Amino acid sequence: MNLLIALQALKINKLRSGLTMLGIIIGVAAVIVMVAVGSGAQAKVKEQIAGLGSNLMILWAGSVTTAGVRGGTGTAQTLVEDDAWAVMREIPEIQVAAPTQRGSGQIVWGNTNWLAAIVGATPEYFEARDWGLVSGRMFEYGELSSSGKVAIVGQTVARELFGETDPVDQIIRVRGVPFTVIGLLEKKGQSMMGQDQDDIVILPLSTARNKIFGALQGRIGRVSSIFIKSRDGVDMKEAEDKVRELLRQRHRLSPNTPDDFSLRNLTEILQAQEAASKVMSILLAAVASVSLLVGGIGIMNIMLVSVTERTREIGLRLAVGARGKDILSQFLVEAITLSTIGGFLGILLGVLGTWLVANLAGWRVELTIFPIILAVGFSAMIGIFFGYYPARKAAAMQPIQALRYE
């Protein structure tokens, strides 16, 4: 009964009711859009963590200083394959270490060509990166020792070179050298630096060194990086310190000599990014919630005006037997109805806004039911909170004074 009375009262002043609900509509929509954007950012960071591989560290070769000018990481050839095997052998916390040599070059299949990253690696590389195959097989150790001409390709290379054709068993030319494709990698997506991880051709390390990179990569046994994966449950910082200590011993570095390598704990970096994105999501939702608060103040203002305008009506109802709690519930239901209708309209606007952000701005968004329920529930609570004072004021009126009100 109170709901019907509330709807009739709101219908009498359609424009005023609509303007009052506008704050709630915008507030709910803003909360939904901001939470969706924040959730999308968190999901993207989680994908990057999964794409790198769990518990991952990367050991890069050091830099060269010439005439006082220091080159970038990897310009010095300070790492060798044996460094990787020593890390695996001497540090119990390490599950696997994979030496790699990286470059780039033209990949040709038939009349199609594509410029891609070329990585020489061992089977441990796939374990360190948590990188499986869609089809085909991994390298065999005999192919590593004999510099076998076999290759495993990423999804981007497969798409650009082969289209819909199955790449397995196809013959490609890497920098003019023929290779047989033996496997197709799972999709990894972008790295944290925005690079396409699937734009890659992986060769046996010995093959890449002897037949592709050659003298450009320096002496036999040198590698540009080592991917290191620690065991589950291990303290990454402790494992990192042990790897650094072992490498300094192997490279015969004195205590005052800086590292001739660079060791990066990528998992910690991405976890920090994830924590930052969570904080940003909370801040975005909090800022959007301010508009809900403003909408609630608007509801209180309009309800106070409505109580003043309907003073004689309130007095008449009290005079014919209505109790104070009946008047209280009537105006409280009106306030809740205003905020709830505004909440549902806000859902529609929020879903539309999320769609526009995803399709026009190109941002990653994650729309779930939780922020929708939260926003509507919060809007109803605002109706109760800001509607209670006007409703209480109406219920406290004296019948005779209300009937005399002009």
Side-chain angles (χ1 to χ4, degrees), residues 135-149:
S135 59
R137 64 175 178 85
M138 296 290 188
F139 301 136
E140 296 175 353
Y141 282 96
E143 293 165 337
L144 290 171
S145 60
S146 63
S147 299
K149 295 181 181 179

Side-chain angles (χ1 to χ4, degrees), residues 51 131-132 134 154-156 159 184-190 196-198:
W131 209 344
V134 173
Q155 293 279 338
T156 300
R159 182 184 68 246
L184 174 62
L185 291 164
E186 295 175 345
K187 186 176 180 61
K188 275 283 189 181
Q190 288 187 344
D196 184 1
Q197 298 182 92
D198 300 307

Side-chain angles (χ1 to χ4, degrees), residues 15-61:
L15 180 60
R16 188 170 72 180
S17 300
L19 292 175
T20 304
M21 287 188 292
L22 192 58
I24 298 295
I25 293 172
I26 294 174
V28 170
V31 169
I32 291 173
V33 173
M34 292 299 99
V35 171
V37 170
S39 298
Q42 292 183 45
K44 187 173 182 179
V45 172
K46 289 179 180 178
E47 283 184 0
Q48 289 178 338
I49 294 175
L52 284 173
S54 59
N55 304 332
L56 185 65
M57 295 179 281
I58 301 183
L59 188 62
W60 298 97

Side-chain angles (χ1 to χ4, degrees), residues 258-276:
D259 295 342
D260 62 352
F261 54 87
S262 176
L263 181 59
R264 299 177 185 175
N265 186 341
L266 299 186
T267 303
E268 286 186 356
I269 294 173
L270 287 177
Q271 285 174 346
Q273 290 183 355
E274 183 180 17

Side-chain angles (χ1 to χ4, degrees), residues 313-328:
E313 174 194 332
I314 295 170
L316 184 59
R317 292 193 63 190
L318 289 171
V320 297
R323 294 169 296 178
K325 65 178 183 180
D326 297 324
I327 304 298
L328 177 68

